[in-house]
Amino acid sequence: MSSYARMTGMLIRRLTLDDLDACCGLAEDREWPPERHKWTLLFEVGEVYGIDAPDGDGLAATTVLTRYGDDQAVVSMVLTASRYARRGMARGLMEHVLAGAGDRVVTLHATEYGRPLYESLGFRTVGRVAKRTGVFRGGRSGRTRVATGADLDGILALDAEVFGTDRSALLRRMPGFGERVRVAEGGFGHCWRNDDSVVIGPVVARDEETARALIADLALDAGGEVRLDLDLAQESLTRWAGEHGIGDPWEVSLMARGGRPPGDRSRQFLPFMQALG
């Protein structure tokens, strides 16, 4: 039990799909998009926790823990209703899911508003990520093709090598969750619809040229506005995206607790989604 739960007696409970509407409503309360499709996936692959609003109107706060094997976990959707801000609910939920994460390296993406809380819980900034949106301007690469079922084993093996952990439970959902999976020599990419735009990710590739080919072809498959969550350490890819119409940046911090995330970040060009690493 977290210190918050001990002090207040307020119940932190495991949420279910029956709480989906309340989760979306909480996001909108904080002027975030509802992201109903993403929430549905999080209920499938993660552990969604919440605190019911004391006034009986929906949820007061939420947090999601997604475990990858025995060594990594991701925290996401740390939301508190505006009318319950600064009452310790986010801290209480964070303490709860961190206890559940055990000795795993835990990562999350933090706004400047949330970063002080995470630092107080032992997280440290290990990178910066920019969310960029726009309509891709460019042509087909000629280097990628649509994935088939026969590509799945290769995709899972490459992802495990690059991320240093087993994300197969998540990646096996790519075809049903998303809009398109593409493969290239030494890489794969995926895109999925999130409210009014299409998010590209994950993109895992042996080099930046392969990553660019996958991103370009997935963006053209999607048509319209796309979103990329770019590691700002990959300066040339970030610059290339801007030159091809993907701008309008909004930056967050990549934070980790318990050590640096394992794996080869030089081949991790885009995450599955900002919430899932």
Side-chain angles (χ1 to χ4, degrees), residues 109-123:
H109 288 89
T111 64
E112 289 305 297
Y113 179 82
R115 190 160 56 87
L117 167 63
Y118 305 132
E119 288 176 339
S120 73
L121 292 168
F123 285 85

Side-chain angles (χ1 to χ4, degrees), residues 74-219:
V74 175
V75 170
S76 59
M77 310 308 267
V78 183
L79 296 168
T80 303
S82 54
R83 65 192 185 280
Y84 293 114
R86 300 187 181 280
R87 298 195 188 183
M89 292 184 180
R91 177 178 291 276
L93 282 164
M94 285 295 300
E95 290 176 351
H96 184 81
V97 297
L98 290 175
D103 294 331
R104 293 172 176 84
V105 176
V106 182
T107 59
L108 54 77
H109 288 89
T111 64
E112 289 305 297
Y113 179 82
R115 190 160 56 87
L117 167 63
Y118 305 132
E119 288 176 339
S120 73
L121 292 168
F123 285 85
R124 297 293 176 263
T125 298
V126 295
R128 294 285 292 172
V129 174
K131 180 186 77 172
R132 292 178 178 259
T133 58
V135 178
F136 182 79
R137 299 193 302 265
R140 293 276 176 188
S141 73
R143 296 183 54 190
T144 79
R145 62 173 173 81
V146 177
T148 69
D151 296 304
L152 180 59
D153 287 346
I155 287 172
L156 297 180
L158 177 61
D159 190 81
E161 175 188 342
V162 171
F163 279 85
T165 194
D166 178 11
R167 304 198 308 165
S168 60
L170 175 65
L171 296 180
R172 289 181 188 277
R173 289 169 168 80
M174 285 194 304
F177 173 77
E179 302 229 323
R180 184 62 55 88
V181 182
R182 281 190 170 270
V183 293
E185 185 68 31
F188 72 91
H190 170 255
C191 64
W192 55 282
R193 186 163 295 278
N194 191 38
D195 295 328
D196 296 330
S197 66
V198 172
V199 182
I200 298 178
V203 172
V204 174
R206 64 185 180 187
D207 53 40
E208 186 176 312
E209 288 303 313
T210 304
R212 290 184 183 187
L214 288 161
I215 292 168
D217 291 350
L218 288 165

Side-chain angles (χ1 to χ4, degrees), residues 20 24 32-45 76-77 177 192-195 199 227 229 272-276:
L20 178 59
C24 296
W32 286 75
E35 299 187 302
R36 189 178 188 88
H37 190 44
K38 184 166 90 173
W39 274 108
T40 301
L41 179 68
L42 289 168
F43 275 106
E44 291 180 10
V45 302
S76 59
M77 310 308 267
F177 173 77
W192 55 282
R193 186 163 295 278
N194 191 38
D195 295 328
V199 182
R227 172 178 138 191
D229 295 337
F272 194 110
M273 58 178 68
Q274 202 175 78
L276 288 173

